[in-house]
């Protein structure tokens, strides 16, 4: 069991009350006890001071639980023996009270029973017929009530501390999950935006290098297209920075897809067809559709060696459907290892309750279908 922190003011308050009561009794000569009165009072005060010092030491070193409990028990017994007022018996409630925090309920209940048994034993040995004495019976009842109240207070305090610790652990888990989700989102954005443009630049620069001697005009066009890809990449970086600063502008899917088709560069030739109304689709849904189209075009250019890519989007009142088709060499989806692009695309689409389907085969091209439901609660 985890060690909890006792209510700090309870023990010093009781020590102070017992000290004042004992000194009053000694000063007024109201009580009798073993030994000379002066020495007994001095020992009583010293034992109370030792209890105060013990509490301060335990607060500085909370790990020493067993020695602290034994020392507290010995000092309380000493105070009870030296106290002429009899008020110090109330200190016995501190033993199960502090034990509840350090060792748990079972130990605390055991100590409480032992305190009652010890008091009863002392009555039996020193006060025959104690059960007919109102003062002894009253002391026993008061100790019982004090133990019940102390254990109840300890149980409430431990429950509150346990709830606070569980809440803190939950908050830490939520923070970790939020950080992981944000890292995944940034990774998807970097892959989908910069990865796409860097792929295009890589192909364009390779073309410029290959055609530099054979066809200078083609090489120059490839360099111009690479510069255009650099500008587009910088634009995506600025858009990502705006998103991190909560300056996101709701994208126009049709314009973004037309811009994707107009990027030019090496084959494949990209054609776009968009129909329907974007109203009712939030930023997350439209972004997921655009990134999926971008991933399909990038894969067709980089891996499929396609000559033509068709991007078709149908926006209806219930769902949006994106279909990206290329005439490339295709692959076997069941056996191919999915790269980060496909994984990120599936994650992004799943976050908006959509689904992804890939239909391909060796030599048969690839057909990517993404379906995203329309939100019923309005536009975000």
């Amino acid at each position: 069991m985890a060690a909890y922190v006792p209510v700090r003011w309870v023990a010093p308050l009781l020590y102070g009350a017992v000290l004042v009561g004992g000194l009053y009794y000694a000063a007024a000569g109201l009580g009798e006890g073993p030994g000379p009165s002066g020495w007994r009072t001095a020992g009583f005060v010293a034992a109370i001071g030792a209890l105060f010092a013990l509490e301060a030491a335990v607060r500085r070193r909370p790990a020493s639980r067993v020695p602290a409990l034994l020392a507290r028990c010995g000092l309380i017994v000493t105070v009870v023996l030296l106290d002429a007022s009899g008020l110090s018996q109330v200190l016995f409630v501190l033993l199960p009270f502090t034990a509840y925090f350090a060792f748990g309920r079972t130990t605390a209940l055991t100590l409480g029973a032992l305190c009652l048994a010890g008091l009863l034993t002392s009555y039996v040995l020193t006060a025959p017929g104690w059960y007919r004495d109102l003062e002894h019976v009253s002391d026993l009842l008061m100790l019982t009530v004090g133990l019940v109240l102390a254990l109840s207070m300890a149980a409430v305090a431990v429950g509150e501390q346990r709830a606070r610790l569980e809440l803190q652990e939950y908050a830490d888990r939520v923070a970790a999950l939020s950080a992981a989700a944000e890292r995944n989102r940034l990774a998807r954005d970097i892959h989908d935006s910069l990865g796409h443009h860097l792929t295009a630049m890589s192909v364009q620069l390779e073309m410029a290098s290959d055609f530099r001697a054979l066809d200078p005009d083609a090489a120059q066009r490839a360099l111009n297209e690479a510069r255009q890809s650099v500008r587009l990449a910088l634009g995506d970086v600025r858009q990502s920075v705006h998103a991190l600063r909560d300056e996101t502008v709701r994208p126009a899917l049709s314009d973004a897809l037309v811009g994707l088709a107009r990027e030019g560069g090496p084959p494949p030739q990209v054609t776009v067809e968009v129909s329907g109304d974007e109203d009712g689709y939030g930023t997350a849904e439209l972004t997921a559709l655009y990134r999926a189209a971008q991933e399909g075009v990038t894969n067709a250019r980089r891996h499929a060696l396609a000559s033509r890519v068709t991007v078709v989007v149908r926006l209806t009142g219930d769902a949006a459907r994106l279909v990206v088709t290329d005439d490339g060499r295709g692959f076997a989806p069941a056996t191919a290892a999915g790269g980060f692009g496909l994984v990120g695309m599936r994650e992004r689409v799943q976050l908006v309750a959509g689904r992804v389907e890939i239909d391909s085969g060796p030599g048969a091209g690839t057909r990517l279908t993404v379906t995203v439901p329309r939100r019923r609660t309005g536009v975000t």
Side-chain angles (χ1 to χ4, degrees), residues 192-207 225 229 232 257-271 290 293-311 324-330 366:
D192 294 344
S193 59
L194 291 180
H196 169 77
H197 295 303
L198 289 174
T199 297
M201 281 185 276
S202 175
V203 175
Q204 290 154 357
L205 291 175
E206 288 179 2
M207 287 186 60
E225 290 162 358
S229 295
L232 293 172
L257 292 177
V258 169
L260 178 66
R262 288 177 178 174
E263 287 182 8
Q269 177 184 357
V270 181
T271 58
Y290 173 73
Q294 193 177 49
E295 179 66 20
V297 171
T298 300
N299 286 339
R301 174 177 290 123
R302 186 174 183 180
H303 303 295
L305 303 180
S307 60
R308 186 175 183 84
V309 178
T310 302
V311 179
V324 181
T325 307
D326 68 62
D327 59 355
R329 59 185 181 180
T366 301

Side-chain angles (χ1 to χ4, degrees), residues 275-277 279 281 314-321 374:
S275 62
D277 190 357
D279 291 341
Y281 292 96
R314 298 283 184 266
L315 300 164
T316 66
D318 296 325
R321 182 181 177 87
R374 180 181 179 180

